[in-house]
Amino acid sequence: MKLSLGRSLLKVLRAQKKISKRIEKAVAKTRGRTKRSASRPAKSILIETAAFGSNPGHLVMKSFVPTAPLPKNPALVVLLHGCHQTPESLDVAAGFSKLAKERGFVLLYPQQKRANNSQNCFNWFRPSAVARDRGEVRSIKQMVEHICERHRVDRSKIFVAGLSAGGALTGALVANYPSLFAGAAIIAGMPFGSARDAMSALRAMKSGARSPPGGWGRPIAEISPETRAWPPITIWQGMEDRVVKPVNALACVAQWLEVQGIAENSGRLEEKPWGRLQSWKVSGKLKVALYSVSNMGHGLPIKKRKSVTALRSADPYVIPVEISAPAEMMRLWGLSRFRI
């Protein structure tokens, strides 16, 4: 009786060991698959276009067009990445392609080449790169023209936004082609005409750009002297930015107020949970706004979510705070959710 009981117990223990080993093997396989899938970069949904014009700036053109039905004449959003970024890293972290699907617009991502700049920065400080119909601004204009023709874009709904070097280049694009854009956002950028080479650019970023002779409006007025109508421009700045000193955002504001003949003391100041908003309107329409974001360094602000770690690992220059620049841009630009 005791012997039979002992043998039965031994069989049970052996069976349990076999089951435990099988479970351990299954768990190990699952972990291995998870690690492999995590190490693989997400498949890019951005499409590269090789031929779009003479491309004097030697840039790369990437775009995203939602597969879902689009409006007959969709809007176009042009996004310019910052240094050490790629269109893919910015898109994944900030979710612009998801917004494009939801709201039915086309995305254009110009990309810098390391052959042009070792830090992957747009050359916003080189006069030859930002002169009208030359260099990088000309390349981007050609990209815009190409995608407008191909996807029947509503030319009254072309918007542009850029981060850091991309923000500085955004200002250059609007200065050169003001009638091309219906709205713009300069995020942690620099005023147009604040540098002429890499060394002066670094000094201006770190210490603050010096106003040129004749004031900040002069560099823009010199290249677009006949322009009277300008797109509304929002300027975004992290108050803890150690890469671009926050005083540069004030210079950007001064530049766009001056070129439009708007008095600085005519603005409205509002304290917000995320920081401070200063806005200037003419006849009830927003012309210039400064978003000063508290507790934020150098980057694009995006609303905090549960997956904060994932956002930071995707792109260190997309920073979770109390306000989302992409969402605010969609609101200001009238890009609401698209319904068929």
Side-chain angles (χ1 to χ4, degrees):
M1 186 82 175
K2 286 182 181 179
L3 183 63
S4 176
L5 184 61
R7 284 177 179 172
S8 298
L9 184 59
L10 186 61
K11 286 181 180 179
V12 171
L13 290 171
R14 284 175 179 171
Q16 285 179 340
K17 282 182 180 180
K18 285 182 180 180
I19 293 169
S20 296
K21 285 181 179 179
R22 287 176 183 174
I23 292 171
E24 285 173 6
K25 284 181 180 179
V27 170
K29 283 182 180 180
T30 303
R31 284 176 180 168
R33 287 172 190 158
T34 304
K35 285 179 180 178
R36 286 194 296 273
S37 62
S39 63
R40 290 177 196 150
K43 187 178 179 181
S44 174
I45 59 172
L46 305 182
I47 303 300
E48 183 174 334
T49 301
F52 56 85
S54 60
N55 191 17
H58 308 291
L59 302 179
V60 177
M61 175 181 175
K62 292 182 178 178
S63 61
F64 173 73
V65 181
T67 54
L70 283 171
K72 184 179 179 181
N73 300 110
L76 171 64
V77 175
V78 183
L79 294 170
L80 304 175
H81 64 79
C83 302
H84 308 291
Q85 280 185 313
T86 64
E88 288 80 6
S89 70
L90 177 58
D91 188 72
V92 169
F96 282 108
S97 57
K98 182 181 177 183
L99 289 170
K101 289 178 183 177
E102 293 174 349
R103 295 161 192 262
F105 62 83
V106 177
L107 270 177
L108 169 62
Y109 275 107
Q111 181 175 358
Q112 182 60 285
K113 293 180 182 178
R114 291 203 181 276
N116 299 334
N117 186 293
S118 61
Q119 305 302 312
N120 220 34
C121 308
F122 289 109
N123 293 304
W124 60 272
F125 47 83
R126 291 183 184 170
S128 61
V130 296
R132 178 174 290 175
D133 292 336
R134 293 180 63 191
E136 294 178 7
V137 295
R138 177 60 176 163
S139 290
I140 294 171
K141 187 172 187 291
Q142 289 177 344
M143 294 180 196
V144 170
E145 293 295 336
H146 179 85
I147 209 163
C148 281
E149 291 175 8
R150 189 168 183 178
H151 298 289
R152 298 180 181 178
V153 166
D154 183 343
R155 289 178 180 269
S156 70
K157 294 182 180 179
I158 302 175
F159 307 94
V160 60
L163 169 62
S164 192
L169 194 61
T170 294
L173 282 165
V174 177
N176 279 286
Y177 310 113
S179 62
L180 185 62
F181 301 103
I186 299 171
I187 305 158
M190 297 291 294
F192 179 70
S194 57
R196 295 189 64 82
D197 52 42
M199 291 303 294
S200 60
L202 286 171
R203 283 196 300 270
M205 289 163 60
K206 293 290 184 182
S207 304
R210 293 182 180 180
S211 176
W216 277 117
R218 185 173 179 179
I220 298 176
E222 285 179 346
I223 59 173
S224 298
E226 304 300 322
T227 303
R228 296 293 176 266
W230 298 88
I233 295 178
T234 59
I235 295 151
W236 296 75
Q237 181 68 49
M239 298 313 294
E240 305 302 321
D241 195 330
R242 299 292 181 265
V243 177
V244 173
K245 195 170 184 178
V247 70
N248 288 303
L250 300 178
C252 285
V253 169
Q255 181 164 69
W256 291 105
L257 288 178
E258 188 175 323
V259 79
Q260 297 182 75
I262 301 172
E264 187 175 347
N265 60 8
S266 66
R268 179 186 179 188
L269 174 63
E270 300 173 75
E271 297 294 336
K272 300 287 187 178
W274 47 262
R276 179 177 293 179
L277 172 62
Q278 292 172 273
S279 56
W280 290 263
K281 294 182 178 181
V282 175
S283 301
K285 293 183 179 180
L286 181 70
K287 293 297 180 180
V288 179
L290 172 60
Y291 291 75
S292 302
V293 185
S294 303
N295 304 314
M296 190 184 88
H298 187 67
L300 179 145
I302 191 166
K303 190 75 173 177
K304 282 183 180 178
R305 298 174 187 170
K306 292 180 181 179
S307 57
V308 168
T309 306
L311 281 170
R312 284 177 177 164
S313 63
D315 191 314
Y317 300 107
V318 175
I319 305 174
V321 287
E322 298 299 328
I323 184 173
S324 169
E328 182 70 353
M329 286 187 283
M330 298 299 106
R331 184 185 72 81
L332 292 172
W333 295 344
L335 298 177
S336 56
R337 288 181 180 272
F338 174 59
R339 292 180 176 83
I340 301 172

